[in-house]
Amino acid sequence: MFTDAGSQYGLSRGIAARRSRPVRARSRCPENQVLRATILGASRLSSSARQLLVFDRLVYYSRSMTQEQDTRQRIVSSARDLIYRRSYADVGVAEICARAAVKKGSFYHFFPSKQDLSLAVIDALRTGLEDQVLIPAFARDLPPLHRLERFIATLYEFQRDTAASNGHLLGCPFGNLALELATRDEVIRHKLVSVFAGIQARFEQALNEAQTAGEIDGVDIPATAAAMLAYLEGILLLAKTANDPEVIRRLGPAFAQIRIDLPAG
C-alpha cells in the first residue's frame, strides 16, 4: 500500500515529541479540580473541591444579588426624588435612568411599567416618613397627647428643611400623588389608601393611650383620627400652595386639639 512519507513522518514526530515530554502528576489541588468541573462534572470532584465550588458559587451569586439590589435602589431613589420634587407625569423613564446611571434595559428588568416603579417609590416614601417623622414623633418618652403635638413640630421641621434645600415646599408626597393619580390608577390609589390608613393608625394609638390614661373621654377615636388626618393634609396643601412652612407652624397647634364626640345615646 502507498504511504505518504511526509504524513507518516509528521505523525511519528508528534508521537515521539509527546513521549519525550515529562509526565506531570495529576494535580489534586481543589482549585484546579474546580476548574475542571465544567468538563468532568461536579460528581467526580473530591469533597474539598465540591465545598470550594459551592463557596465560589455562593460568593458569585451574593455579589450578583448585591449589584442588582444596588441598581434597583438607585432607580427607586432617583424616581422618588424626581417625582416628589415635581410630579408623576412630569418625570419620564429616560430621565430616571439618566439620574440613576442605568440603561433602560436595567430599568425594565426591575420594573416592567412605570406603575410598578411608582408602587416601589411609595414604599420608599413611606419608609422615609416612618424613619424621619413618625418614629421619632411617637416615641413613648412623652405622654400620648404630647406626642401628637411633637408630630406636628417634627413635620414642620421636615417641611421647612426640604423647602430650604429645594427652593420650594414639597408638601405631602402621598397627598401629591393622590391628587394626581387617584382618579386614573386604581392600583396606586389603593396603595395610597393603605399609607393614609397607617398614618391614621398612629393617631388612633396615641388617642387610645390617652383615653386609657384618663386624658380624654367620650371621644370617637377612629373619627377623631380621621379628622386629624384630613386637617393635616389640608394644612400641608395650603403650605405648599403658599410655599411657606410657617403655615404649618401657625395652624399646626389645632391638630392635637381636634375631637369628635361619640354619638349621643
Side-chain angles (χ1 to χ4, degrees):
M1 178 182 293
F2 178 82
T3 303
D4 186 309
S7 298
Q8 187 179 18
Y9 177 73
L11 179 61
S12 299
R13 283 188 62 189
I15 294 172
R18 285 195 294 273
R19 286 176 178 172
S20 66
R21 294 172 189 161
V23 177
R24 297 180 180 177
R26 179 175 295 177
S27 173
R28 296 189 179 276
C29 174
E31 289 84 351
N32 290 341
Q33 291 191 45
V34 168
L35 293 175
R36 298 173 60 231
T38 55
I39 299 174
L40 300 179
S43 62
R44 296 181 58 182
L45 294 176
S46 67
S47 175
S48 59
R50 283 198 299 271
Q51 291 175 2
L52 181 62
L53 179 60
V54 169
F55 176 76
D56 285 348
R57 286 176 176 172
L58 287 174
V59 170
Y60 171 78
Y61 290 132
S62 177
R63 288 175 178 171
S64 298
M65 290 181 66
T66 300
Q67 291 172 352
E68 284 205 356
Q69 290 170 353
D70 178 66
T71 300
R72 186 184 187 279
Q73 184 57 47
R74 291 205 315 274
I75 294 171
V76 172
S77 297
S78 298
R80 177 199 62 203
D81 294 345
L82 289 169
I83 291 173
Y84 187 28
R85 289 190 178 102
R86 285 151 53 188
S87 71
Y88 175 88
D90 193 44
V91 178
V93 172
E95 185 176 6
I96 294 169
C97 290
R99 183 182 178 91
V102 301
K103 296 181 179 179
K104 280 190 176 181
S106 295
F107 176 94
Y108 287 112
H109 169 72
F110 294 106
F111 305 105
S113 69
K114 194 177 175 183
Q115 181 195 75
D116 294 310
L117 173 64
S118 299
L119 296 174
V121 165
I122 292 171
D123 285 334
L125 288 167
R126 175 161 48 187
T127 298
L129 176 68
E130 287 280 342
D131 293 343
Q132 298 177 55
V133 178
L134 294 177
I135 291 176
F138 287 96
R140 295 177 179 271
D141 58 328
L142 290 179
L145 295 182
H146 289 189
R147 294 175 214 159
L148 293 168
E149 295 170 356
R150 181 168 59 184
F151 166 72
I152 288 294
T154 305
L155 187 67
Y156 162 72
E157 292 171 0
F158 175 81
Q159 290 291 336
R160 181 197 61 195
D161 293 345
T162 57
S165 61
N166 289 281
H168 56 270
L169 193 141
L170 302 179
C172 174
F174 311 109
N176 296 344
L177 287 170
L179 289 171
E180 187 176 7
L181 297 174
T183 59
R184 296 169 47 195
D185 192 311
E186 278 294 290
V187 174
I188 291 178
R189 186 182 71 79
H190 281 292
K191 186 79 168 180
L192 293 169
V193 166
S194 71
V195 172
F196 286 129
I199 299 171
Q200 182 175 323
R202 290 276 188 173
F203 304 159
E204 287 190 31
Q205 182 179 15
L207 291 168
N208 277 317
E209 292 183 19
Q211 181 173 261
T212 300
E215 297 178 15
I216 58 175
D217 186 41
V219 174
D220 186 333
I221 288 178
T224 297
M228 286 178 167
L229 178 61
Y231 183 80
L232 170 69
E233 289 300 311
I235 62 175
L236 286 173
L237 178 60
L238 291 176
K240 180 178 180 179
T241 304
N243 194 29
D244 184 6
E246 293 305 307
V247 172
I248 303 171
R249 188 182 63 80
R250 290 195 306 271
L251 302 180
F255 166 83
Q257 305 303 319
I258 295 173
R259 302 286 186 272
I260 304 294
D261 293 335
L262 288 169

